[in-house]
Amino acid sequence: MSADIRSHESAGRTAPSARRRPVQQRSQERYGRILDACACLLDEVGATALTTKEVAQRAQVPIGTLYQFFAGKEDLLAALAGRNLDRYLQRLDARLTAAAPVDPASFTDLAVEEFVAMKRAVPGFGQVDFGLAGPVVPAGVRNGLHLLDAGVDNNTAVALHLQALGGEVFGAGDPAAVTLTLRVALEAADAVLKLAFRGDPDGDPTLIAECKRLVSGYLARRLPAG
């Protein structure tokens, strides 16, 4: 994996996050179990109804243990969003390495396909992918648009990682302009993919194909391969 994407935390993530990163194996296991429980409960009750008490109960840890790692619900969701992004980048990096895309269109196909694969299979991803997937910000969450980084919105944070991952695929233009273009592409992809999954738990294949076509066409016009 590229050193640029080994962890989104290395890029200066400053959003609400775990109070104490676990070091010992037992603590790491509890930490992961809490996030797993959070993800499963999200599928059952949604982000609005989710409570830290229920997460602790599902994870079979005392509520005090949960608060050793997370200051509250926002921290918990931020950590889950961060883990989702890490896993997405790792999985996408593997696909990019195997396929070696040479232009934005082929990069887009792989990026959308991996997102859709996680949407179908990863618990909680439909509620919290790299940020809150729904339109309503739950009680106890003040910075729903900044779960990944307090300084930029979630899609800008993701755009920066994709920009690093894509490298020369996006050409040698002004980095800030590339980031903006990728952010717009992500906003568009979000809207179409939400529509695709609104009435189909596996995603409407026609709308998924349209998402690829829309985003790849936009990127091809804005970011001709270098």
Side-chain angles (χ1 to χ4, degrees), residues 127-202:
Q127 294 286 328
V128 175
D129 39 48
F130 314 134
L132 294 170
V136 178
V137 178
V141 179
R142 295 174 299 171
N143 298 309
L145 293 176
H146 296 270
L147 286 182
L148 293 173
D149 192 312
V152 296
D153 63 83
N154 298 324
N155 274 338
T156 299
V158 176
L160 288 166
H161 288 288
L162 292 179
Q163 186 172 349
L165 193 59
E168 295 180 358
V169 168
F170 299 125
D174 174 53
V178 173
T179 303
L180 176 60
T181 298
L182 291 176
R183 180 188 177 193
V184 171
L186 285 167
E187 293 287 349
D190 272 352
V192 179
L193 290 176
K194 283 176 182 176
L195 181 61
F197 280 87
R198 185 177 299 165
D200 186 340
D202 289 326

Side-chain angles (χ1 to χ4, degrees), residues 195-219:
L195 181 61
F197 280 87
R198 185 177 299 165
D200 186 340
D202 289 326
D204 183 318
T206 301
L207 287 171
I208 292 170
E210 284 301 302
C211 176
K212 290 181 180 180
R213 186 174 295 111
L214 172 69
V215 174
S216 61
Y218 170 71
L219 293 180

Side-chain angles (χ1 to χ4, degrees), residues 16-220:
S17 58
R19 279 181 167 178
R20 177 171 65 85
R21 292 291 179 185
V23 176
Q24 297 182 347
Q25 182 175 351
R26 183 181 180 188
S27 294
Q28 291 176 348
E29 189 274 334
R30 284 184 171 181
Y31 181 89
R33 201 161 77 232
I34 290 169
L35 289 184
D36 290 342
C38 177
C40 290
L41 278 168
L42 281 168
D43 284 335
E44 296 174 17
V45 305
T48 300
L50 184 79
T51 67
T52 53
K53 180 180 179 181
E54 289 177 329
V55 172
Q57 290 174 343
R58 178 65 63 89
Q60 298 183 322
V61 300
I63 188 67
T65 298
L66 184 148
Y67 282 117
Q68 287 177 3
F69 298 126
F70 308 99
K73 181 173 176 175
E74 184 170 350
D75 286 3
L76 187 57
L77 294 177
L80 183 61
R83 186 175 76 168
N84 285 342
L85 177 57
D86 282 342
R87 290 179 174 179
Y88 174 75
L89 293 171
Q90 291 165 7
R91 291 167 58 151
L92 179 58
D93 188 37
R95 296 189 69 164
L96 294 171
T97 299
V102 295
D103 54 39
S106 50
F107 182 99
T108 296
D109 284 351
L110 294 172
V112 171
E113 287 170 8
E114 191 53 55
F115 184 88
V116 168
M118 291 185 69
K119 192 90 166 175
R120 291 170 174 165
V122 175
F125 200 79
Q127 294 286 328
V128 175
D129 39 48
F130 314 134
L132 294 170
V136 178
V137 178
V141 179
R142 295 174 299 171
N143 298 309
L145 293 176
H146 296 270
L147 286 182
L148 293 173
D149 192 312
V152 296
D153 63 83
N154 298 324
N155 274 338
T156 299
V158 176
L160 288 166
H161 288 288
L162 292 179
Q163 186 172 349
L165 193 59
E168 295 180 358
V169 168
F170 299 125
D174 174 53
V178 173
T179 303
L180 176 60
T181 298
L182 291 176
R183 180 188 177 193
V184 171
L186 285 167
E187 293 287 349
D190 272 352
V192 179
L193 290 176
K194 283 176 182 176
L195 181 61
F197 280 87
R198 185 177 299 165
D200 186 340
D202 289 326
D204 183 318
T206 301
L207 287 171
I208 292 170
E210 284 301 302
C211 176
K212 290 181 180 180
R213 186 174 295 111
L214 172 69
V215 174
S216 61
Y218 170 71
L219 293 180

